[in-house]
Amino acid sequence: MIGIIDYHLNNLRSVQKAFEKVGAESFISDQPEALAGADKLVLPGVGAFGKAMDNLRTLGLDAVIRRSVGEGKPLLGICLGMQLLFTRSDEGGSFDGFDFIRGEIKQFPSTVKVPHIGWNQIDIRRDAPLLRAVTDHSFVYFVHSYYAVPEEDVALCTTDYALPFTSVVQKENISGIQFHPEKSQTTGLRMLANFAGVGDRHAVIGAL
Amino acid sequence: MLAKRIIPCLDVDRGRVVKGTNFVDLVDAGDPIEQAKYYTAEGADELVFLDITASSDNRATMLDVVRRTAEEVFIPFTIGGGIRTTADMREMLRSGADKIAINTAAVSTPELVSEGADRFGVQCIVVAVDAKQIAPGQWRVFVNGGRTSTPLDVIEWVQMVESLGAGEILLTSMDRDGTKDGYDVELLRRVASAVRIPVIASGGAGTLEHLYAALHDGHADAVLAASIFHFRRHTIAEAKDYLRSKHIIMRH
């Protein structure tokens, strides 16, 4: 069972519906005890970095995330949720993240439109189970103003926007997707199916 | 490379899709969820639902449309019409909408833009601007579905909402809306060069060339269109093939 972490900022319904579509069971909760019982955790997210970490702490969810990761449970961060996996962000000040992956979150330069909104391509740098049945250069849906700069070799995909930035990461049981897989039609659903371990549903997704 | 977007717009009245010509003379054109699925399968990059009834007793109907769409459609969609408070925004977002378009409420309560952006992120907040030309090179902001004039200059207004935290501008030319004579390219170009956030062109699409003009000459990031697709004069796939042949980057 996949636990979707509700920290009172995000649109969780779409993520849950996407898992449902690929045949994976999930539940949404803001309760540490309930989430501790999940086999895998998803940290979605839309909103501001500092506020997100605040809410996670206030709700006592940061501890359960750290503990689950320590136990080796898979954790998937989506969009802001991926950014929270890193050391620090300079969004609206300087805020500490989980530091599961060493690196910083930076704002796109002023040479391009910000937010980066729309369908852009992923260039696969390293293959991984998360990318099973995903075609190189597929278009996926992005909405973000900040991007991750890892200080470790964790990039599975990069995307070009002003510069090549890291769009999918994986480090052991921790993975992150900067775009919105739940809004990226077939490609995104495939990745969620891969994370959920229901990759055999790809035929169903292909028919969407 | 970032692709330009094609966004079908579904005008929803009491749970049904309708399309007006110059905001009146409505023709029923079907079930919103069925249309949303159809357009998604055809290659739509995003969807916009405009709740044109927008009365408070209609809220439950619209929330139901949002919930059902979120169950079936895995591309982003925006809800506009009748959103007046951050509580309204939250309700729509929690039901599965990705973005909220505000128009009249942004003019009467500009703090709604900044509060919405603070609370839900700038990417959620689309400010819809109904623009009417009042002199050469000059456009005025209208509200209440285009019925009420405001003292606001369009260029000054889009810059203001950008500074308040709008994530995108949905720019409708009232002069062109429903005419099928093409987007107001001049207006688009002015607005696109005045702000750094993406601009969605709306109002006047009648041919595929019009889509090209808005994206290429008007520097729009996306084109919103209704009747050109609703009445099957063109499919989205045809539009994308055409635009690709003109070297516009499109998602495949």
Side-chain angles (χ1 to χ4, degrees):
Chain A
M1 189 68 112
I2 298 165
I4 301 172
I5 302 161
D6 179 5
Y7 53 104
H8 302 181
L9 271 188
N10 31 26
N11 172 3
L12 306 152
R13 194 177 161 78
S14 307
V15 175
Q16 188 177 33
K17 290 295 161 193
F19 277 123
E20 205 173 283
K21 193 77 185 178
V22 302
E25 280 189 82
S26 65
F27 67 96
I28 296 174
S29 179
D30 62 0
Q31 300 298 312
E33 313 81 63
L35 291 165
D39 309 313
K40 301 180 179 190
L41 288 177
V42 173
L43 184 63
V46 144
F49 192 102
K51 176 78 177 151
M53 286 307 289
D54 261 2
N55 283 17
L56 285 167
R57 280 187 209 105
T58 309
L59 292 161
L61 296 170
D62 60 331
V64 72
I65 293 170
R66 285 186 194 283
R67 200 162 57 239
S68 300
V69 164
E71 289 165 1
K73 286 184 188 174
L75 168 69
L76 172 66
I78 295 175
C79 196
L80 175 65
M82 160 174 154
Q83 299 183 359
L84 298 174
L85 306 175
F86 285 82
T87 312
R88 191 177 308 104
S89 171
D90 62 9
E91 179 178 0
S94 180
F95 295 97
D96 290 336
F98 281 104
D99 198 23
F100 293 138
I101 301 172
R102 273 183 293 113
E104 300 211 349
I105 307 303
K106 294 187 178 302
Q107 188 168 21
F108 281 114
S110 56
T111 50
V112 286
K113 291 196 178 190
V114 181
H116 172 221
I117 296 184
W119 296 82
N120 204 334
Q121 291 167 292
I122 45 171
D123 301 319
I124 297 176
R125 301 295 170 191
R126 181 148 51 91
D127 211 1
L130 189 62
L131 298 174
R132 195 186 137 201
V134 171
T135 311
D136 199 10
H137 312 306
S138 289
F139 279 93
V140 291
Y141 190 81
F142 288 90
V143 187
H144 60 131
S145 301
Y146 292 78
Y147 65 98
V149 184
E151 286 161 23
E152 306 179 58
D153 184 21
V154 290
L156 296 186
C157 299
T158 60
T159 295
D160 278 346
Y161 192 65
L163 47 110
F165 70 88
T166 303
S167 46
V168 182
V169 292
Q170 180 153 27
K171 178 184 173 182
E172 294 151 12
N173 54 330
I174 299 158
S175 39
I177 301 178
Q178 177 59 69
F179 53 88
H180 286 275
E182 76 282 13
K183 291 290 165 180
S184 296
Q185 227 184 343
T186 330
T187 301
L189 293 181
R190 284 202 170 115
M191 292 177 70
L192 292 178
N194 289 336
F195 175 74
V198 291
D200 54 334
R201 299 295 184 107
H202 283 153
V204 179
I205 300 163
L208 282 177
Chain B
M1 288 277 281
L2 184 65
K4 299 275 189 177
R5 291 169 277 159
I6 295 184
I7 309 176
C9 179
L10 309 178
D11 286 0
V12 179
D13 186 12
R14 288 180 283 267
R16 299 282 294 170
V17 180
V18 292
K19 172 60 192 170
T21 302
N22 286 329
F23 295 110
V24 289
D25 188 26
L26 303 175
V27 181
D28 191 324
D31 172 48
I33 288 87
E34 284 311 304
Q35 285 219 10
K37 283 168 67 177
Y38 181 89
Y39 283 130
T40 305
E42 254 199 340
D45 297 308
E46 242 178 276
L47 297 167
V48 170
F49 293 93
L50 286 183
D51 178 9
I52 59 168
T53 8
S55 61
S56 47
D57 51 330
N58 185 55
R59 181 54 47 84
T61 310
M62 205 56 203
L63 282 170
D64 184 54
V65 169
V66 172
R67 276 193 208 100
R68 285 163 56 217
T69 303
E71 285 170 16
E72 308 262 8
V73 168
F74 299 98
I75 61 171
F77 66 96
T78 301
I79 300 295
I83 310 271
R84 291 184 186 87
T85 63
T86 53
D88 294 342
M89 292 181 178
R90 180 178 165 81
E91 201 174 28
M92 287 294 176
L93 294 169
R94 284 193 79 87
S95 297
D98 299 285
K99 308 179 194 182
I100 302 300
I102 51 173
N103 184 337
T104 307
V107 172
S108 55
T109 322
E111 310 82 70
L112 192 56
V113 178
S114 44
E115 284 170 16
D118 282 349
R119 202 163 300 183
F120 311 112
V122 296
Q123 77 294 326
C124 287
I125 311 299
V126 179
V127 174
V129 178
D130 289 344
K132 195 174 174 59
Q133 189 159 20
I134 52 161
Q138 228 187 325
W139 291 264
R140 175 127 324 147
V141 176
F142 277 65
V143 292
N144 292 320
R147 289 185 297 272
T148 311
S149 177
T150 73
L152 297 165
D153 172 74
V154 167
I155 301 300
E156 288 171 17
W157 176 238
V158 294
Q159 288 176 330
M160 178 169 170
V161 297
E162 176 183 36
S163 70
L164 288 171
E168 282 178 289
I169 301 288
L170 168 54
L171 181 64
T172 301
S173 161
M174 292 185 53
D175 306 297
R176 300 300 181 88
D177 198 58
T179 64
K180 305 187 180 72
D181 291 342
Y183 296 95
D184 186 337
V185 171
E186 170 73 14
L187 167 67
L188 281 170
R189 201 184 298 128
R190 298 278 186 108
V191 170
S193 66
V195 294
R196 281 188 57 219
I197 52 181
V199 176
I200 304 164
S202 160
T207 67
L208 300 182
E209 290 78 4
H210 293 156
L211 305 180
Y212 176 74
L215 296 170
H216 184 265
D217 305 322
H219 304 165
D221 297 279
V223 282
L224 189 86
S227 50
I228 185 174
F229 298 126
H230 289 345
F231 298 108
R232 306 279 178 265
R233 265 181 297 138
H234 293 287
T235 65
I236 290 172
E238 274 169 26
K240 287 194 162 181
D241 283 345
Y242 171 79
L243 291 166
R244 239 179 251 121
S245 77
K246 306 276 270 178
H247 308 294
I248 300 279
I249 295 165
M250 288 276 130
R251 173 175 76 110
H252 42 70

